[in-house]
Every structure is written in structure tokens, then in C-alpha cells.
């Protein structure tokens, strides 16, 4: 669908979008909060969801758990309005700048999926690395919002 | 090496680090600039590189092109000092806050790998989507820094 990846110089220094999708047809995507700058979530897109995101200016991902295109917010109402999209040097990962207003991006209920911080320094026991919760309050109650939807988290 | 992923509730709401590595033993990692907040790069870690990053407070990745642990800056000198590490809800992606001083993170020579912006709105021709360069100046000359090292970008 997008430009063919003909040569490395063009991929890195050229002006044409020529994204690389992996063996599953996916490209990793990071969404940052347009207001705070922090990372909200890490997900994946296929060709079609990238095209839809560019055209509609609303974030569309590929749901690996449901195996379908996922318009972020279609169940929760927490839509991500896309203000800018960037791609990296070798065009194999994408950065979305999104506006979520006072909403949330995490299915557990927090604003950002990255609510826990890993302790730094010497590790005494790798099996008991205690993290620190950086977000203290949930924005919404997942049970109320998702009702009987299956949890996307896999072990 | 890290805690076993026993149940979803603990993975999402628990305090113990229990990262999920994919079928290749890797977890995606995003590094943001401690000074500006912007994304510098997207990479991958294996178990060992995550442990080394926590312990040394310097970013270690897994180089997919060289198939080895890669201490960021080992060739270029552009080390990433890690100020904080976060993990997401289902513990399958990592966010590093890094300090790179006046350095760079992109092998093409820019400060951030994400120097190009994709145009938003209706697409006339997906094969000719012209991007906008957001970083105008390179920080370093890759030919001088990397000399005869192979380019990690793959088509």
C-alpha cells in the first residue's frame, strides 16, 4: 500500500513514507500525551490501521488479542485525537502525539499504561523487584466501562 | 530470571516486576529525552539487557542487526544515562527516561530517531506521502563516528 522500500538511503533520508511491517504485518506504535508529553501506551498497527489513523486523525491500532482493527475508544469512549505522527529513521516504529482531554488510555483505569516505576541499582533478587506506583488514582472503573469484555492482558 | 507471570491481576495491579518477552525473547523499549520529554528511539531488550540497564543505570538494548547485547554508545560514545524505568499495565513494554546531555540517539546523526512527520488528512496516493523534516540539523556525521560499521537499517 505504501511506498516500496527500495534503498536504505531513501528510507533513512528520503521524504516518502515507506513503513516496515514485521513478519506479522505489524509496526510498533507509541502514543504520547499531547498535554503532558508522557507516554500513554505502546501498541501496534497494520497497514490499514495506519492509513485510517492518517485519514481520520483518530488513533486506530491492531488489536492482537481480538485480531482486528481497533479504533481506540470504540468501547470505552476514550478516543485519541491525533495531532501529529512521526516515524523513525529506518521507518519501523511510529510515534503518535494524541489529545485525550481529561480521559484515560489504559484499560486498567489509569491515564497512562505506564503507572509503575522499576527500582534502579543493584538487584538482590530479580524475582522480587518491587515497583513504585506513580499514578495513585484511577480515572475510571474498568468493570463499569468494559462490563463483560474479555481482558486483553495475556500471561 | 524475573518473577513468573502467575495471574493477570498480579501482572496488572501487583508491585513485582514480571516482564513478558516475546517469542524471540525480546520486549519493546521506548527511550524519552529526560530534558525535552520527546521520544528519542524505539528498541528492544532481552532479559539480560534489562537486568544490565537496571543495575548499571546505562541503557543496554538487544541489537537485532548484530544479534548481541548493545550498550548504547559503545561505538558512538552517545551513552544514555537512565533516570527512570517504567513498565506498562500488562508488562510487555518498557519506557526509559534517559539523559543524553547534548548528544544524539539516532545513527543517522539526529538527536531523535523521529525526525520526520507524516502528513495528516485525506490521502491521494499512499505511495507518495511526503513527510516533513522536523529536525533540520544533524548533531554528528555518521561517517566520522561509525566509520566502517555496517548500517543497522534493513529493507
Amino acid at each position: 500500500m505504501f511506498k516500496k522500500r527500495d534503498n536504505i538511503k531513501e528510507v533513512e533520508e528520503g521524504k516518502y513514507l515507506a513503513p516496515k511491517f514485521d513478519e506479522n504485518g505489524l509496526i510498533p506504535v507509541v502514543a504520547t500525551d499531547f498535554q503532558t508529553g508522557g507516554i500513554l501506551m505502546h501498541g501496534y498497527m497494520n497497514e490499514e490501521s495506519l492509513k485510517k489513523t492518517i485519514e481520520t486523525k483518530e488513533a486506530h491500532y491492531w488489536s492482537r488479542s481480538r485480531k482486528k482493527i481497533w479504533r481506540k475508544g470504540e468501547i470505552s469512549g476514550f478516543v485519541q485525537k491525533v495531532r501529529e505522527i512521526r516515524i523513525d529513521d529506518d521507518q519501523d516504529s511510529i510515534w503518535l502525539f494524541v489529545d485525550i482531554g481529561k480521559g484515560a488510555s489504559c484499560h486498567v483505569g489509569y491515564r497512562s499504561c505506564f503507572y509503575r516505576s522499576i527500582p534502579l541499582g543493584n538487584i538482590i533478587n530479580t524475582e522480587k523487584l518491587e515497583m513504585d506506583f506513580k499514578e495513585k488514582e484511577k480515572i475510571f472503573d474498568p468493570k463499569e466501562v468494559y462490563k463483560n469484555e474479555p481482558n486483553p492482558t495475556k500471561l
Side-chain angles (χ1 to χ4, degrees), chain A:
Chain A
M1 179 189 289
F2 297 101
K3 191 178 182 307
K4 199 161 165 270
R5 294 166 64 88
D6 291 320
N7 72 74
I8 287 172
K9 176 94 179 160
E10 265 188 30
V11 166
E12 289 183 345
E13 312 259 10
K15 65 182 177 182
Y16 290 119
L17 179 65
K20 182 172 190 167
F21 296 90
D22 68 13
E23 63 279 12
N24 299 312
L26 303 178
I27 188 168
V29 179
V30 186
T32 60
D33 189 326
F34 186 71
Q35 290 163 302
T36 68
I39 298 180
L40 292 169
M41 60 176 280
H42 181 285
Y44 296 87
M45 286 179 178
N46 65 356
E47 277 199 320
E48 188 62 28
S49 49
L50 175 55
K51 183 164 180 277
K52 274 186 194 291
T53 302
I54 293 169
E55 291 201 314
T56 65
K57 300 177 200 172
E58 284 186 355
H60 289 69
Y61 298 92
W62 176 258
S63 167
R64 292 178 303 165
S65 58
R66 292 182 284 153
K67 296 185 175 51
K68 59 179 270 235
I69 291 204
W70 160 39
R71 186 175 70 88
K72 177 72 182 162
E74 65 190 10
I75 296 168
S76 66
F78 296 125
V79 170
Q80 295 180 340
K81 290 182 190 161
V82 175
R83 298 301 186 90
E84 189 176 344
I85 310 179
R86 292 208 195 170
I87 198 156
D88 72 341
D89 44 17
D90 55 354
Q91 302 204 34
D92 72 352
S93 59
I94 281 173
W95 173 9
L96 301 183
F97 298 64
V98 302
D99 185 348
I100 60 165
K102 292 184 193 298
S105 276
C106 172
H107 76 279
V108 176
Y110 296 102
R111 184 169 175 93
S112 163
C113 295
F114 293 83
Y115 46 85
R116 287 170 296 184
S117 185
I118 299 171
L120 298 178
N122 284 338
I123 297 172
I124 294 159
N125 181 351
T126 45
E127 288 176 32
K128 285 197 169 171
L129 269 173
E130 280 192 38
M131 299 186 286
D132 186 26
F133 279 73
K134 292 292 183 176
E135 293 198 27
K136 307 293 182 191
E137 301 274 337
K138 292 190 182 184
I139 305 271
F140 69 93
D141 177 357
K143 279 181 202 148
E144 251 174 56
V145 168
Y146 295 110
K147 298 188 176 75
N148 296 321
E149 287 290 325
N151 186 324
T153 295
K154 305 291 175 212
L155 287 178

